[in-house]
Amino acid sequence: MRTTTQARAFVLVLGLAAAGAVLVPASPAAAAVPGLVRIAATSVSSSADFHSATATCPGTKVLTGTGYELNGVTGEGVVDDLRPNGGVATAPTSVTVGAYETEAFAGNWSVTAYAICANPLPGLVRVATVSVSDSADFHSTTATCPGTKVLTGTGYELNGVTGEGVVDDFRPNGGVATAPTSVTAGAYEADATALNWSVTAYAICANPLPGLVRASTVGTNNSLDFRSVVAGCPVGKVMTGAGYELNGVTGEGIVDDFRPNGGVATAPTTVDSGAYEEDAFAGNWSDTAYAICATA
């Protein structure tokens, strides 16, 4: 039989145990894309007609998205390749950016490739779709993630043209409450060419990710030679990939900057899309930036 002192001690222990159980904090939600960072690589700066750079994810990280920046040219250079590596059964780990002069340019210039990288994601692969190859002025194709996979990032490649084609539409689907699952790449001839050519769209796809959505921002619609717009992820989300769309120009506008923010120790949350007129254009036009975002 317990004494009064023993009984009080017993009740106190039970109370502390109960209080301890209540005070244990809940485990935080797991990040959708752990270890997300942005890696950059810049080509040599020279007056050569073509420049290329490859950004590679460090260590065991994998590629979730891409970006690029042309340096030293303002409408005289165009990105021909924004090509992630990988395949239908292989996770991408790098992106190669290749750019040509659209017209003879005597100055020095370079290209920067941006790789958005994360710790390995379940089911990550790269899917490619190629448009018809002919001499039409416009080509378009859509790469769609297989099965239940979702889109984390994008890429494209122009085939058969070297500075004569411009990607005008580089658009992930989805919305503010809908996960993207495909990307459309549409390209126009910047200058008339009789060559047969095509466009390839690349979709970087993974198993479903928590909170994945597509955010977008539309820039000002006017006739200025240059415009820039930033798309940002909602609070609590990080950016895995991006896209853009030029509205109102058909081969006369060139996206010069497709630049995710972030760094080697910082997850990107925004993308800056900046575009120039390739030739003088009197009409009004605008630039839309798209950000693919998941739970941080």
Side-chain angles (χ1 to χ4, degrees), residues 68 79-84 154-158 167 170 185 199-202 244:
Y68 66 80
V79 170
D80 185 86
D81 299 325
L82 179 60
R83 186 177 65 254
T154 57
Y156 65 78
E157 185 172 6
L158 298 180
V167 173
F170 185 42
V199 60
T200 301
Y202 293 109
Y244 61 77

Side-chain angles (χ1 to χ4, degrees), residues 244-281:
Y244 61 77
E245 184 177 7
L246 297 183
N247 317 291
V249 286
T250 52
E252 290 89 1
I254 293 175
V255 173
D256 182 89
D257 297 328
F258 176 48
R259 186 177 65 254
N261 74 340
V264 295
T266 309
T269 55
T270 65
V271 62
D272 186 345
S273 178
Y276 286 92
E277 292 179 358
E278 193 259 335
D279 291 312
F281 181 72

Side-chain angles (χ1 to χ4, degrees), residues 39-161:
I39 304 299
T42 302
S43 72
V44 64
S45 180
S46 71
S47 60
D49 178 63
F50 176 75
H51 289 78
S52 180
T54 298
T56 301
C57 295
T60 60
K61 290 185 185 291
V62 293
L63 185 80
T64 68
T66 65
Y68 66 80
E69 186 172 6
L70 297 180
N71 316 294
V73 285
T74 54
E76 295 88 2
V78 62
V79 170
D80 185 86
D81 299 325
L82 179 60
R83 186 177 65 254
N85 70 346
V88 294
T90 309
T93 56
S94 68
V95 59
T96 296
V97 179
Y100 287 92
E101 293 179 357
T102 57
E103 297 173 355
F105 180 71
N108 290 340
W109 63 286
S110 64
V111 61
T112 299
Y114 293 110
I116 302 175
C117 307
N119 296 352
L121 294 178
L124 194 72
V125 295
R126 187 208 70 180
V127 176
T129 305
V130 186
S131 75
V132 64
S133 180
D134 59 27
S135 61
D137 178 62
F138 177 74
H139 291 77
S140 180
T141 189
T142 299
T144 301
C145 294
T148 60
K149 291 185 187 292
V150 293
L151 186 79
T152 69
T154 57
Y156 65 78
E157 185 172 6
L158 298 180
N159 318 293
V161 285

Side-chain angles (χ1 to χ4, degrees), residues 19-27:
V22 171
L23 294 176
V24 172
S27 298

Side-chain angles (χ1 to χ4, degrees), residues 205-229:
C205 308
N207 294 352
L209 296 173
L212 195 71
V213 295
R214 188 204 69 179
S216 63
T217 303
V218 182
T220 303
N221 187 51
N222 59 38
S223 62
L224 294 179
D225 177 63
F226 174 75
R227 68 274 334 284
S228 180
V229 62

